[in-house]
Amino acid sequence: MMEETPTQNIDKRIQMAVEAFQFLKNTTINERAEFMNAVADQIEVLGVELLEVTHAETSLPLARLIGEKARTTGQWRSYAKAVAAGIYTEARLDLAQPEKQKGDLRKYNVGIGPVVIFGASNFPFAFSTAGGDTASAIGAGCPVIIKAHPAHPKTSQIMADAITTVVKAFGWPEGVFSHITGTSYEIGAYLTQHKDIRAVAFTGSFHGGKALFDIANSRENPIPVFAEMGSINPVFAFQNLLETKAETLAKEYIASLTLGVGQFCTNPGVFISLKGKPLDRFITVLKEETQYVTPVNMLHKGILESFEKNRSSAIEQPDVEIIMSANTATEDSKVSASIIKTNAQTFLNNPVLSEEVFGPFGVVVACETKEELVKIAQELKGQLTITVAATHEDVRNNDTLINILKDKCGRLLFNGMPTGVEVVYAMQHGGPFPATTDSRFTSVGPDAVKRFVRPISFQNWPDEFLPEELKNDNPLQISRMVDGVMNSESLKLQTI
């Protein structure tokens, strides 16, 4: 049972974060990077106890947890490297010139202040207490107040203790990182509406993310909420590819759909194609492959109940054909995959069928014409990912449709499946609403740091009082834009 953090303790933690922010503002990018690498080291030495505790709380297999732990330490280290490189300072220097009225202008990015982060249930390491959101915020120079996810309280506490250990070892203020527990909606609302919080990061349901977004925007001083709220991640399969690779594509699709019991935000929940023999072959193999999928426990009771409810609702809709309807939950709560089929008009006219069913559930949509494919693309809500299963000829023959799809997602795939998110600079894990609340940002990859910084410009300031990032001699040796040209050189200027 997760213990509720009292409101007065939350107020104290927020005040400590406010004070810690003043400290972090004066740390260099190198110092923050050193801290982040130390957190990675501390997590890395957490042994079998962490894995066993998390396995017991989430039912995730040990092999998956070992991989996720490695991803988590990798996030901290890769984000630290990016922070130390000065990428997110975006230093800009426009030097004084006789013809310039405003003289010397220098701009860079600073942290925005205390950040509240809500731990996610489906990635207890990589998207929870010590996940990428926490690493991003600290890298930006922002204190973090983490709201632990109630589905894995012991895991969250172990990870929180690891970060706190590093805070103490570095002699940094305690308020750099705080761990808040509780199951009530009121705690999340209280944190989000507190006047001293400057941003919120959330990964979870549309209902939860939208509620936080609305609270944040109703404040006297509105703040950004970076919420990832789910996606159906449609796959558009075109004829030339389907005619030659229907069987292979079916195997790839079911493997992706059921990976991690379908509990990935990039789970490909909808498959869209023209009707005909190639699609019929695809469905035949889909039926066969689904039977071989081993039933597995979902993360926790709440997700299981939501899956059963939403799955049943979709299956019960009119003009829906059941391709595979295995038991949603056996006596030991293990879940199997379910897939339904419908036509384009039903899919377009029934919003229930285009809502995310978080779990191993897929919808096959058979279209009569290319025009129906285009219509579905036009009506799609914002997505994290969209996959184009196609040959080069298919792409050339469907340029209008594909141009529409570019406006609907954060990541557009050419073949392959969307599950498996690489933690690299070019990854975009975010998309148009309602996939996320701000499609300009990503929550995966070093660019996630961008969410928690803001620019400040200094005009005509003496060099000795400028931040390290903007000084003439460039002591941090970062790349800067000086009078429109990128370089990392020192400036030989006479100081004021």
Side-chain angles (χ1 to χ4, degrees):
M1 187 75 175
M2 179 172 273
E3 186 175 328
E4 299 282 322
T5 301
T7 300
Q8 60 268 30
N9 194 14
I10 293 176
D11 288 337
K12 177 183 176 183
R13 289 287 173 177
I14 293 175
Q15 181 55 41
M16 290 168 59
V18 170
E19 295 167 2
F21 178 53
Q22 298 306 313
F23 168 83
L24 287 175
K25 282 164 62 176
N26 294 313
T27 58
T28 68
I29 51 179
N30 291 333
E31 289 169 339
R32 295 200 298 276
E34 183 183 1
F35 177 92
M36 296 165 73
N37 282 316
V39 171
D41 293 342
Q42 189 66 30
I43 293 172
E44 197 164 58
V45 299
L46 296 174
V48 176
E49 179 191 1
L50 171 67
L51 299 175
E52 290 180 344
V53 164
T54 309
H55 172 66
E57 289 187 318
T58 66
S59 297
L60 292 172
L62 291 176
R64 150 76 190 270
L65 292 174
I66 291 170
E68 189 182 330
K69 181 185 172 188
R71 169 181 168 172
T72 305
T73 55
Q75 286 175 164
W76 280 89
R77 288 175 178 140
S78 65
Y79 295 10
K81 185 177 181 180
V83 167
I87 294 173
Y88 306 110
T89 65
E90 296 185 337
R92 307 283 188 256
L93 287 70
D94 283 285
L95 307 178
Q97 303 291 342
E99 67 274 13
K100 288 169 60 177
Q101 294 182 357
K102 293 189 177 2
D104 187 286
L105 280 168
R106 306 187 184 202
K107 180 174 73 171
Y108 83 133
N109 290 332
V110 296
I112 56 179
V115 173
V116 169
I117 293 169
F118 290 81
S121 66
N122 58 337
F123 282 87
F125 301 157
F127 262 95
S128 195
T129 304
D133 288 341
T134 302
S136 300
I138 290 178
C142 300
V144 167
I145 299 171
I146 184 81
K147 168 59 178 64
H149 197 285
H152 47 256
K154 294 180 181 178
T155 299
S156 187
Q157 188 62 59
I158 292 172
M159 287 300 210
D161 290 344
I163 298 174
T164 300
T165 296
V166 177
V167 172
K168 291 179 179 178
F170 273 60
W172 284 14
E174 186 180 347
V176 166
F177 176 83
S178 291
H179 186 235
I180 303 295
T181 59
T183 59
S184 69
Y185 166 82
E186 286 75 17
I187 288 180
Y190 187 84
L191 286 165
T192 302
Q193 65 192 8
H194 196 285
K195 65 180 181 62
D196 291 324
I197 297 301
R198 291 293 174 262
V200 170
F202 171 88
T203 300
S205 69
F206 174 79
H207 175 77
K210 184 60 164 55
L212 294 174
F213 180 80
D214 290 341
I215 291 170
N217 280 281
S218 66
R219 292 171 36 142
E220 182 178 351
N221 57 331
I223 58 172
V225 172
F226 302 104
E228 183 210 305
M229 302 178 292
S231 179
I232 58 173
N233 306 295
V235 176
F236 283 79
F238 295 99
Q239 286 307 97
N240 287 322
L241 184 129
L242 204 58
E243 285 174 0
T244 58
K245 296 185 177 181
E247 293 79 7
T248 300
L249 187 57
K251 292 178 181 179
E252 291 176 353
Y253 180 76
I254 195 62
S256 182
L257 185 74
T258 59
L259 183 67
V261 207
Q263 298 169 119
F264 290 124
C265 46
T266 52
N267 188 41
V270 178
F271 186 94
I272 305 161
S273 185
L274 289 175
K275 65 184 298 186
K277 291 183 179 180
L279 183 59
D280 292 340
R281 295 203 318 272
F282 173 87
I283 291 172
T284 297
V285 176
L286 210 56
K287 288 180 180 179
E288 296 171 356
E289 293 297 315
T290 305
Q291 296 178 58
Y292 301 133
V293 177
T294 304
V296 182
N297 286 313
M298 299 196 83
L299 284 160
H300 57 82
K301 183 180 178 182
I303 285 183
L304 173 62
E305 291 175 348
S306 177
F307 172 72
E308 290 181 323
K309 176 184 175 183
N310 294 332
R311 169 194 171 277
S312 296
S313 175
I315 286 177
E316 291 166 3
Q317 299 304 307
D319 298 317
V320 163
E321 173 189 341
I322 297 174
I323 294 176
M324 175 60 67
S325 181
N327 293 332
T328 49
T330 60
E331 290 182 0
D332 54 359
S333 299
K334 292 185 176 180
V335 172
S336 298
S338 297
I339 302 173
I340 62 175
K341 177 186 175 184
T342 190
N343 59 66
Q345 289 306 311
T346 298
F347 184 77
L348 286 165
N349 295 328
N350 189 339
V352 172
L353 298 176
S354 59
E355 293 298 324
E356 181 185 29
V357 178
F358 192 69
F361 181 81
V363 180
V364 176
V365 182
C367 299
E368 296 281 349
T369 64
K370 281 189 174 182
E371 289 71 24
E372 286 187 338
L373 285 169
V374 171
K375 183 64 174 175
I376 288 175
Q378 291 172 333
E379 296 298 320
L380 270 179
K381 297 177 181 178
Q383 306 292 327
L384 291 173
T385 76
I386 295 176
T387 299
V388 173
T391 64
H392 288 211
E393 183 179 357
D394 286 323
V395 174
R396 285 190 288 269
N397 293 339
N398 293 276
D399 57 336
T400 298
L401 170 58
I402 292 171
N403 272 327
I404 294 170
L405 297 181
K406 292 175 184 177
D407 298 330
K408 301 288 184 171
C409 65
R411 178 162 56 108
L412 186 65
L413 290 87
F414 179 70
N415 295 322
M417 289 294 148
T419 42
V421 179
E422 291 189 70
V423 185
V424 293
Y425 284 96
M427 176 53 63
Q428 177 59 24
H429 193 64
F433 186 87
T436 62
T437 48
D438 197 329
S439 63
R440 297 173 297 171
F441 298 96
T442 181
S443 60
V444 174
D447 278 355
V449 176
K450 289 182 180 180
R451 296 172 294 172
F452 306 117
V453 296
R454 69 172 183 87
I456 180 172
S457 182
F458 295 83
Q459 184 170 330
N460 295 329
W461 274 79
D463 186 72
E464 68 172 299
F465 300 122
L466 287 170
E468 301 284 283
E469 290 85 350
L470 301 178
K471 287 182 180 294
N472 289 336
D473 60 357
N474 193 13
L476 299 175
Q477 297 184 318
I478 60 174
S479 183
R480 308 184 297 185
M481 182 176 287
V482 181
D483 288 335
V485 178
M486 294 298 298
N487 67 69
S488 56
E489 300 173 3
S490 299
L491 300 179
K492 307 302 181 182
L493 300 177
Q494 182 176 355
T495 57
I496 300 175

